[in-house]
Amino acid sequence: MGKQLLKNVKLVNENRIAESDVLLENDLIVKVDRDISDANAKVFDLKGNHLLPGIIDDQVHFREPGLTHKGDIASESRAAVAGGITTFMEQPNTNPQTTTIEKLEEKFQMASRSAFANYSFLFGGTNDNLEELKRLDKNACSGVKLFLGSSTGNMLVDDEAVIEQIFLNTEMVISVHCEDEGTIRRNLEHYRTEYGEDIPIQYHPLIRSEEACYLSSSKAVALAQKTGARLHVFHLSTGKETDLFRNDIPLIDKKITAEVCIHHLWFCDSDYDTKGTLIKWNPAVKKASDREQLWKALLDDRLDVIATDHAPHLRSEKDNVYTKAPSGGPLVQHALPAMLDVYHQGMISLEKIVEKMCHNPAILFQIEGRGYIREGYYADLVAVDLDDPWQVAPSNIAYKCGWSPFEDHIFKSKITHTFVNGHLAYEKGRFSQERHAKRLTFERD
């Protein structure tokens, strides 16, 4: 790739916005300064647009292996790059599940051949693979994932003695899906008795209720406090849960952290009337008051990361009665544009978006050389034009499943360029067919 010079950009990085140039050489950032010149560099004049570190998404489901009719590593990482996401961490509930070291390494081999964005994977904990987990090197992958509530793939971990042993026997970040299974089953049976299989979608947040979420997440937090484990709670959906987390210490010193996902920040229960099962997620999209409290906790730093939980299904699968419609939806292409819309509404700064989507995932997972625009770091970068509106339509949706919950929405900002390890992977609607993605490495003592 040689040298590339990005001229006339507004860097959004480390809590400031500054006019600058950025010089890349091969896969690295080699200079960040005003008025850089280099006769040997290919020049990109970005005309005053904003330049962000590449987004790091700590929770995606790219469906490979075994569920590739919904999506695969190639298709969904391409969509991610179109959305400014240069690094993803994929979840273990594929087929076969990523619950052995052998299957984990097989996934890495798949990604090495097909990923357009940098990659790592989470190792799935189960009721019966503790000994395998103990063998896992702490620098091998992003961390461990536990489903404390059931979701796609049936990886429910419900043996409390095993859960405690997992907490005691890994130094890695333990990421958890928190919903209490007993509560959900009782609620589901109640509504099934009344409505049969065709339960109105409006009852989804009452079935996967605030009580189910809080009961599970509060137990996980208590167990982490007891054992000293490093806990990260995925996709908070209720205001009540936000009080479980602290904002009085720096992220680097936190042992217990949490994320919120795009759909829980954007949608609320009134949207079920128009979106139906397209916004059926686990945990459920809940009340507007929950959304408001999630935003408050995000902005006051009780919540540390913004992620997508990208989980594509075919439209024909979603267009089913409640009990047969799967939970999840595609989000990686539209997550950053959605957050930039909220910036335009005055609800969040560009600096805070970068903190929650770039810096903090890198800190939390101890990722080496990514998440910032710094000399010596990998050149994962995304340029955005804040004033170039565009409408989401089937013709510009990159997901293999072909639909988006944002369809017909007009976003105010457009991603113009995405660089992955110094390679221009996406430019103004055009994708490079070359792959320059790398396996993530970690700085864990």
Side-chain angles (χ1 to χ4, degrees):
M1 291 172 286
K3 290 184 177 181
Q4 300 172 93
L5 179 56
L6 313 187
K7 298 285 292 184
N8 302 320
V9 301
K10 295 185 180 76
L11 291 190
V12 187
N13 188 54
E14 303 194 63
N15 203 34
R16 63 192 291 262
I17 300 175
E19 294 183 0
S20 185
D21 297 340
V22 182
L23 180 64
L24 318 180
E25 186 168 3
N26 297 322
D27 57 355
L28 298 178
I29 300 166
V30 294
K31 191 171 184 180
V32 180
D33 206 349
R34 297 288 297 269
D35 301 321
I36 299 173
S37 61
D38 191 311
N40 297 316
K42 179 180 180 180
V43 176
F44 292 85
D45 184 353
L46 297 183
K47 300 178 179 178
N49 284 334
H50 288 75
L51 189 71
L52 285 58
I55 305 302
I56 299 173
D57 192 346
D58 75 1
Q59 188 187 181
V60 304
H61 303 262
F62 282 177
R63 304 306 193 195
E64 187 176 357
L67 301 166
T68 53
H69 66 287
K70 303 173 188 284
D72 54 53
I73 292 171
S75 66
E76 306 314 284
S77 64
R78 259 177 107 249
V81 166
I85 293 170
T86 57
T87 296
F88 65 87
M89 302 181 199
E90 212 264 351
Q91 303 304 299
N93 54 331
T94 47
N95 183 20
Q97 298 165 346
T98 317
T99 55
T100 68
I101 294 171
E102 178 186 10
K103 294 304 177 188
L104 176 65
E105 287 304 320
E106 286 178 9
K107 247 187 183 180
F108 276 115
Q109 288 302 311
M110 292 175 198
S112 72
R113 296 188 295 268
S114 61
F116 288 93
N118 304 310
Y119 53 89
S120 193
F121 300 95
L122 277 77
F123 181 89
T126 71
N127 284 329
D128 55 13
N129 74 340
L130 178 61
E131 293 306 313
E132 186 78 350
L133 189 151
K134 288 179 181 180
R135 294 177 51 233
L136 183 65
D137 185 277
K138 64 184 177 183
N139 286 298
C141 64
S142 302
V144 176
K145 171 69 177 288
L146 300 182
F147 288 88
L148 305 183
S150 62
S151 193
T152 302
N154 191 26
M155 286 187 64
L156 177 66
V157 186
D158 57 2
D159 186 323
E160 293 189 6
V162 170
I163 295 168
E164 181 164 350
Q165 285 301 306
I166 291 173
F167 275 49
L168 285 167
N169 281 283
T170 182
E171 300 177 57
M172 303 174 80
V173 177
I174 302 170
S175 298
V176 290
H177 174 136
C178 285
E179 293 182 284
D180 181 68
E181 190 66 18
T183 302
I184 293 168
R185 287 175 179 169
R186 288 191 297 273
N187 292 341
L188 179 59
E189 191 55 37
H190 169 78
Y191 287 101
R192 188 179 258 141
T193 299
E194 185 170 354
Y195 293 102
E197 300 303 305
D198 195 10
I199 300 169
I201 185 62
Q202 287 79 3
Y203 291 113
H204 186 53
L206 300 181
I207 293 169
R208 289 183 172 264
S209 63
E210 175 190 83
E211 177 192 11
C213 293
Y214 186 81
L215 182 58
S216 181
S217 56
S218 60
K219 287 171 69 174
V221 168
L223 185 58
Q225 291 168 336
K226 173 185 173 182
T227 60
R230 178 64 187 82
L231 177 71
H232 183 52
V233 182
F234 273 162
H235 47 43
L236 287 199
S237 64
T238 75
K240 185 175 182 180
E241 291 172 285
T242 62
D243 290 332
L244 295 168
F245 303 96
R246 298 176 60 177
N247 62 358
D248 60 335
I249 55 175
L251 175 59
I252 198 167
D253 295 325
K254 287 186 181 184
K255 296 278 283 186
I256 299 170
T257 55
E259 75 170 32
V260 62
C261 288
I262 296 294
H263 44 289
H264 293 123
L265 292 172
W266 187 277
F267 299 106
C268 70
D269 57 359
S270 64
D271 293 307
Y272 288 115
D273 292 340
T274 55
K275 297 289 185 179
T277 55
L278 296 183
I279 61 166
K280 184 188 180 191
W281 274 280
N282 299 339
V285 168
K286 295 184 174 67
K287 295 180 292 187
S289 58
D290 288 297
R291 180 178 60 187
E292 181 180 344
Q293 289 172 277
L294 291 168
W295 270 107
K296 181 179 179 182
L298 178 71
L299 295 174
D300 72 19
D301 296 333
R302 282 174 288 158
L303 305 186
D304 306 290
V305 170
I306 300 170
T308 67
D309 193 17
H310 173 90
H313 299 282
L314 297 186
R315 182 68 183 258
S316 59
E317 295 171 325
K318 295 291 275 186
D319 289 340
N320 258 307
V321 297
Y322 173 81
T323 55
K324 300 194 181 304
S327 292
L331 283 169
V332 288
Q333 186 182 357
H334 302 108
L336 179 56
M339 292 307 298
L340 294 174
D341 263 23
V342 182
Y343 155 76
H344 280 289
Q345 296 166 20
M347 288 179 60
I348 190 171
S349 68
L350 295 176
E351 298 94 321
K352 185 64 78 172
I353 291 172
V354 166
E355 176 188 314
K356 302 295 185 178
M357 300 185 82
C358 310
H359 303 337
N360 284 5
I363 294 169
L364 195 155
F365 289 94
Q366 299 171 286
I367 300 169
E368 183 177 17
R370 303 188 191 277
Y372 294 85
I373 301 175
R374 289 176 176 169
E375 294 175 2
Y377 271 53
Y378 289 105
D380 296 338
L381 302 163
V382 54
V384 297
D385 185 338
L386 293 179
D387 299 302
D388 188 1
W390 62 286
Q391 187 170 22
V392 181
S395 60
N396 57 39
I397 291 171
Y399 311 128
K400 191 173 188 178
C401 67
W403 65 274
S404 166
F406 288 108
E407 199 161 329
D408 296 328
H409 181 77
I410 299 174
F411 285 117
K412 293 180 172 61
S413 304
K414 183 178 290 181
I415 291 156
T416 62
H417 300 74
T418 304
F419 292 85
V420 178
N421 299 307
H423 172 67
L424 183 58
Y426 175 84
E427 182 181 15
K428 298 179 179 177
R430 297 186 300 273
F431 293 91
S432 169
Q433 296 307 307
E434 297 180 28
R435 295 180 174 88
H436 291 262
K438 295 179 184 287
R439 177 174 177 167
L440 293 189
T441 56
F442 304 92
E443 299 180 297
R444 298 168 182 161
D445 297 332

